[in-house]
Amino acid sequence: MPTAQSSVPKPEAVATTVDQRTQIEAQLSEARRRQETGHLEEGGTPGAEELPASDRQRLFDRLVIAYSEQLKLLDELESVKTAQPDNPHKQTLMAEFAGPPPYSALRVDALRDLVDSGKERLHSLASTERALETLKVGRLETQQRAAEAVRLAEDKLARADGQSAIDKERLGRELAILRRQLAEAELANIGMGLERVRLERKGVQALNSELERLLTRVRPEQRLGKEELEQQQALLRKELNVVIAEIDALVIANGRRAAERQQLTKLVAEAGSSASQADRLELLDARLETDRVLLLTLTWLQTTLQVASDAWAQRYVGFHSEDANTRQSVISGLSQSREELAGRKQIVDELQQAARVAVHEQQLRLGGTSLDPDATDKDSSLYEALQQRARAYQRLQRASARMERQLDRWLDDFGFTARTTSADDWQLGALQLAQTLKSIWNFEMFAVEDSTVIDGKTVTVTYGVTVGKSIGALLLFLFGYWLFALLSRRLQRVMVSRFGVNEQMASVIRRWAMISLAVALIIFILNLARIPLTVFAFMGGALAIGIGFGTQTIIKNVISGIIILFERKIRVGDIIALGGMTGHVIAVDLRASTVRGFDGVEALVPNSSFLENQVVNWTYSNPRIRREIRLGIAYGSPIRAAAEIIARCAEDHAQVLKDPPPEVFFEDFGDNALLLVLVFWVELGPNLVARRVDSDLRHAIGQRLEAAGIPIPFPQRDVHLDISQPLPVRLTQPPADNV
């Protein structure tokens, strides 16, 4: 905070201020002299009736006002420069907080009020500074235009010809000069105002910073004594008694007005309505509506005062309790009160805004009424009734805002980061986190009504579906499904090892058992969590549409898979040919099967393809297949000896079946060779590759036929020349270029 020595202005600044004041006073005196001279010239004698002021006279009047305002701003600026920014309550608070802690919570509240008022003052000064900056920009443009107008007026005066034209242009130049002086004076006033606002803002900011530092120091050490609590409770009871008395008086007055309206309505119904009676009835309706609004606001104000009394008691408990659970309950109570006030604030703001609009409209109607006294009295009474409603809402709003501000402060004192919690801060934080998680856990997402008929009567029970119920049901389902999966895999192994059930059939049984157990588990968990199945009723239509249109292919494949699993036409290990692909079936699932081709590529085949297309199952009932190898021997070779050699090659191969035995057939006389066919049988399996067997046999047959001297001819063609007639001979002359 600045000291007394620093606030004394420097000699140079004092001399500048004195010169500036002297100059302004001289300009003001000159403007006043010319203003009075202008009045005498236009009005004659000082007592004569004045004519309407000319442009020149109006400019002199405005100059006098501007220079007077300039002197006033100069005085204010000097006072701001020399005065120390201070608050009358600051010294008292500083003295009270100079001693050792603990400090009075009420005095800390007073210090907070000072800090808040300083912040509001800073905000107001900042708004004023922005407004003056905007105004200064406009005045600068005005000054520039005025200076340009003076230059134009001087040019016109220099070019004027004739005495009348010179006098006219001289008057125009004088007016332009006066406008420029006025613009300069107004710009100087804005500059002084800006300087004053900035100096005041700087001082208020320094004072507020000092108060905030003091508040930061004393706030953790505040305590609320028993006497202070009783004092606040007494003040609140006094306000509450006043509100209750107002409510009682309002109820009595409202009863009288209601009886008067009833009598007036009866009189109008019997004798007819006149203009005065209609106006009286309208006024009574307006006052009854005003009574209703006043009663509503007083009731809410009574509730607010009761909440304030309970909040003060909770604050006292929070200051004097060292138990983290108790502090958490205090925070919960204060937070709940804060939320209730915040929820009511929006309603009050909307009602107050509507009341202000009604007052404004009635004010316009009152200003536009005729000179009829009755109509004026009626509109005035309505205007007064509307003002009472607006004042009632404003009163409630002020009380709610004050209480809301106090609750915010107290919650800040007892909050997780407040230093007043000292060593128990982590315990309080843990309790707050637990309370938050508990509120999330118990948050009700939606409610479902379940109707049950008991003794012929329909009883409707409402079940709330909370976040906790949903999470618990989900975790319980996951645990149960995991446990059932372990048991089902154990059951599958037992069925295969002890009861001799086929592996594929055991897998089908396990899957259907898991589906049935999952459905039963869902129903059991929903009943255990008291979540009725009607919760999912709203999903029926959307689910039906999704099943009918979006999942029809999936359902078709699943049903096909079930048929395949039960019919066992296609099993794991079978060799099938489907759609140009041949390979082993390595898995048969509910939706699709996996086929691994002889080239090692695996394909996922939808189960519906096995039912809709022709499938060749090489190992359906018998894994044996017949293979054929065709070859030709040269004409003239021993056919039977060659057949025996080929048959022995097949008999010697380990993977060629002995039953039925391999056979060699003389198939045909070919163009270039005698055609023989070897027919043999092999048993398909995972270790058999038919192409390798064929290759081995061809190698052996070739070697043995070559050793026996039986050739395998290659394709040949004979060309015969017919010489029964002479051959024609023709001589041709070569071209000249080739000579």
Side-chain angles (χ1 to χ4, degrees):
M1 183 176 177
T3 58
Q5 288 80 3
S6 61
S7 62
V8 177
K10 297 180 179 180
E12 295 83 357
V14 173
T16 303
T17 304
V18 171
D19 295 341
Q20 187 177 8
R21 178 181 296 277
T22 302
Q23 181 181 1
I24 295 173
E25 288 177 350
Q27 292 174 344
L28 177 60
S29 300
E30 178 64 20
R32 283 177 175 173
R33 183 187 65 78
R34 300 183 67 179
Q35 179 188 26
E36 294 175 356
T37 304
H39 277 298
L40 291 176
E41 291 176 354
E42 293 184 1
T45 61
E49 183 180 359
E50 294 185 357
L51 297 174
S54 62
D55 292 341
R56 180 170 175 270
Q57 187 62 43
R58 283 195 296 269
L59 289 173
F60 280 131
D61 295 341
R62 292 179 62 184
L63 272 175
V64 170
I65 296 174
Y67 288 139
S68 301
E69 183 69 19
Q70 203 169 125
L71 287 175
K72 180 181 177 182
L73 289 172
L74 188 61
D75 293 336
E76 293 177 357
L77 188 59
E78 291 178 358
S79 64
V80 171
K81 289 180 179 179
T82 57
Q84 297 182 5
D86 206 347
N87 191 287
H89 303 287
K90 175 196 167 185
Q91 300 300 331
T92 304
L93 291 174
M94 294 290 287
E96 292 178 354
F97 294 135
Y103 304 109
S104 170
L106 297 182
R107 303 311 297 166
V108 173
D109 291 343
L111 179 59
R112 280 171 161 163
D113 292 336
L114 285 180
V115 172
D116 290 342
S117 63
K119 291 180 179 178
E120 293 176 359
R121 180 59 181 165
L122 285 174
H123 180 72
S124 176
L125 289 173
S127 301
T128 304
E129 183 179 357
R130 289 193 298 270
L132 289 175
E133 288 285 356
T134 304
L135 188 60
K136 181 179 180 181
V137 173
R139 286 295 181 270
L140 281 173
E141 295 178 356
T142 303
Q143 182 192 19
Q144 293 175 359
R145 289 195 299 268
E148 184 65 24
V150 170
R151 288 193 295 270
L152 292 176
E154 290 177 349
D155 292 342
K156 290 181 180 180
L157 179 60
R159 294 193 303 268
D161 188 11
Q163 188 62 37
S164 59
I166 292 175
D167 294 340
K168 179 180 179 181
E169 297 301 333
R170 185 180 290 115
L171 179 60
R173 185 188 64 176
E174 183 180 1
L175 293 176
I177 292 173
L178 289 176
R179 291 191 183 97
R180 184 184 62 185
Q181 292 177 353
L182 179 61
E184 292 173 351
E186 291 176 347
L187 186 61
N189 291 347
I190 294 174
M192 289 183 182
L194 271 174
E195 187 178 359
R196 182 185 65 81
V197 169
R198 288 167 180 168
L199 288 174
E200 185 177 359
R201 182 181 177 186
K202 183 178 179 181
V204 173
Q205 191 170 7
L207 175 62
N208 215 50
S209 299
E210 185 178 359
L211 294 177
E212 286 180 348
R213 289 192 297 270
L214 178 62
L215 178 61
T216 303
R217 180 176 65 85
V218 302
R219 193 185 70 173
E221 307 297 337
Q222 60 177 324
R223 289 294 181 272
L224 182 64
K226 185 68 174 179
E227 295 181 357
E228 294 175 334
L229 174 63
E230 293 176 352
Q231 177 184 354
Q232 292 299 318
Q233 297 282 16
L235 293 175
L236 291 174
R237 284 195 298 270
K238 183 178 180 181
E239 287 188 52
L240 188 59
N241 292 332
V242 172
V243 172
I244 293 175
E246 291 181 4
I247 292 175
D248 295 338
L250 183 61
V251 169
I252 295 174
N254 185 263
R256 288 199 304 267
R257 291 193 182 96
E260 182 180 357
R261 187 187 185 283
Q262 186 177 4
Q263 294 177 358
L264 184 59
T265 304
K266 184 178 180 181
L267 181 62
V268 169
E270 292 177 354
S273 175
S274 62
S276 60
Q277 290 176 343
D279 293 343
R280 180 62 180 168
L281 189 61
E282 184 179 357
L283 287 176
L284 283 174
D285 290 338
R287 288 173 180 170
L288 287 173
E289 178 64 21
T290 301
D291 292 343
R292 186 190 67 80
V293 171
L294 293 177
L295 184 61
L296 174 65
T297 55
L298 288 174
T299 304
W300 282 1
L301 185 59
Q302 181 182 3
T303 304
T304 303
L305 293 174
Q306 292 172 352
V307 170
S309 179
D310 295 339
W312 274 99
Q314 290 176 349
R315 187 188 186 193
Y316 177 79
V317 173
F319 273 124
H320 291 272
S321 177
E322 299 297 332
D323 183 31
N325 291 321
T326 304
R327 291 186 179 181
Q328 176 60 31
S329 63
V330 169
I331 291 176
S332 300
L334 295 178
S335 300
Q336 185 177 0
S337 301
R338 174 69 175 79
E339 291 175 0
E340 292 176 357
L341 288 176
R344 191 183 302 167
K345 178 182 178 182
Q346 183 178 2
I347 301 176
V348 174
D349 291 342
E350 293 177 357
L351 293 175
Q352 185 181 13
Q353 183 64 26
R356 289 177 177 175
V357 171
V359 169
H360 181 67
E361 292 177 352
Q362 184 62 27
Q363 186 177 10
L364 295 177
R365 192 179 299 110
L366 183 62
T369 55
S370 60
L371 298 178
D372 185 5
D374 295 335
T376 303
D377 293 341
K378 172 190 169 184
D379 290 338
S380 299
S381 300
L382 291 175
Y383 179 70
E384 179 62 28
L386 293 174
Q387 278 189 324
Q388 288 181 357
R389 300 177 197 175
R391 287 194 295 268
Y393 287 129
Q394 187 177 6
R395 178 185 179 185
L396 177 61
Q397 188 184 38
R398 286 198 300 267
S400 299
R402 181 175 65 253
M403 189 62 214
E404 188 175 353
R405 184 171 61 252
Q406 289 179 344
L407 289 174
D408 288 338
R409 293 173 177 176
W410 300 346
L411 286 172
D412 188 25
D413 290 339
F414 297 119
F416 175 67
T417 57
R419 287 185 291 174
T420 52
T421 56
S422 63
D424 296 332
D425 186 60
W426 68 271
Q427 299 179 1
L428 182 60
L431 289 172
Q432 286 180 332
L433 180 60
Q435 186 70 19
T436 302
L437 294 177
K438 183 178 179 181
S439 62
I440 295 175
W441 183 267
N442 296 326
F443 176 75
E444 183 176 330
M445 297 185 294
F446 54 90
V448 179
E449 293 183 354
D450 190 13
S451 299
T452 307
V453 179
I454 301 177
D455 295 334
K457 297 181 179 179
T458 302
V459 178
T460 302
V461 181
T462 302
Y463 295 97
V465 180
T466 61
V467 175
K469 282 185 178 182
S470 303
I471 296 177
L474 179 61
L475 294 178
L476 187 59
F477 173 78
L478 293 176
F479 174 76
Y481 191 84
W482 172 76
L483 183 61
F484 287 157
L486 291 179
L487 295 177
S488 64
R489 284 193 290 270
R490 177 64 177 172
L491 177 62
Q492 181 180 358
R493 289 193 295 268
V494 170
M495 286 190 298
V496 173
S497 61
R498 292 189 179 181
F499 299 101
V501 180
N502 183 271
E503 180 71 27
Q504 186 178 7
M505 182 58 67
S507 176
V508 173
I509 295 174
R510 183 182 71 84
R511 288 172 181 167
W512 280 102
M514 284 298 301
I515 293 174
S516 303
L517 290 174
V519 173
L521 182 63
I522 290 174
I523 297 175
F524 172 74
I525 291 175
L526 291 178
N527 290 330
L528 184 64
R530 301 184 64 83
I531 300 176
L533 294 177
T534 53
V535 171
F536 307 98
F538 70 93
M539 299 174 58
L543 188 59
I545 295 174
I547 292 176
F549 293 97
T551 62
Q552 56 181 350
T553 303
I554 297 177
I555 293 177
K556 180 177 68 173
N557 290 324
V558 169
I559 296 175
S560 301
I562 295 172
I563 295 173
I564 293 173
L565 290 173
F566 277 98
E567 287 186 349
R568 297 175 56 79
K569 300 293 185 180
I570 298 174
R571 296 160 296 184
V572 175
D574 287 349
I575 298 176
I576 65 170
L578 174 65
M581 180 179 181
T582 304
H584 293 85
V585 178
I586 62 175
V588 179
D589 296 323
L590 287 178
R591 189 188 66 83
S593 299
T594 304
V595 178
R596 179 181 295 164
F598 293 143
D599 55 358
V601 178
E602 295 180 350
L604 298 178
V605 181
N607 289 330
S608 60
S609 299
F610 293 108
L611 302 181
E612 296 174 354
N613 302 317
Q614 181 178 2
V615 182
V616 178
N617 191 344
W618 289 4
T619 58
Y620 174 59
S621 59
N622 187 359
R624 297 181 177 184
I625 63 171
R626 188 185 68 181
R627 304 287 294 181
E628 295 180 355
I629 296 178
R630 288 177 170 80
L631 73 157
I633 60 176
Y635 277 93
S637 301
I639 299 175
R640 294 191 179 277
E644 291 176 358
I645 293 173
I646 295 172
R648 283 196 300 271
C649 290
E651 291 172 355
D652 294 340
H653 198 283
Q655 291 181 318
V656 175
L657 297 178
K658 304 301 184 288
D659 185 21
E663 295 180 287
V664 178
F665 297 94
F666 184 16
E667 187 176 41
D668 199 359
F669 294 95
D671 295 337
N672 306 304
L674 301 174
L675 300 180
L676 302 178
V677 178
L678 172 63
V679 178
F680 61 95
W681 293 79
V682 294
E683 186 172 355
L684 295 177
N687 298 323
L688 175 69
V689 180
R691 296 180 66 179
R692 182 175 293 112
V693 174
D694 295 346
S695 177
D696 294 341
L697 291 175
R698 289 188 178 99
H699 280 293
I701 291 171
Q703 291 176 359
R704 293 189 183 184
L705 289 178
E706 183 180 359
I710 300 174
I712 299 176
F714 52 85
Q716 300 176 8
R717 176 170 296 179
D718 294 335
V719 180
H720 298 276
L721 181 62
D722 186 8
I723 59 175
S724 60
Q725 296 179 358
L727 296 176
V729 177
R730 181 181 299 173
L731 297 177
T732 60
Q733 183 70 26
D737 296 338
N738 296 332
V739 178

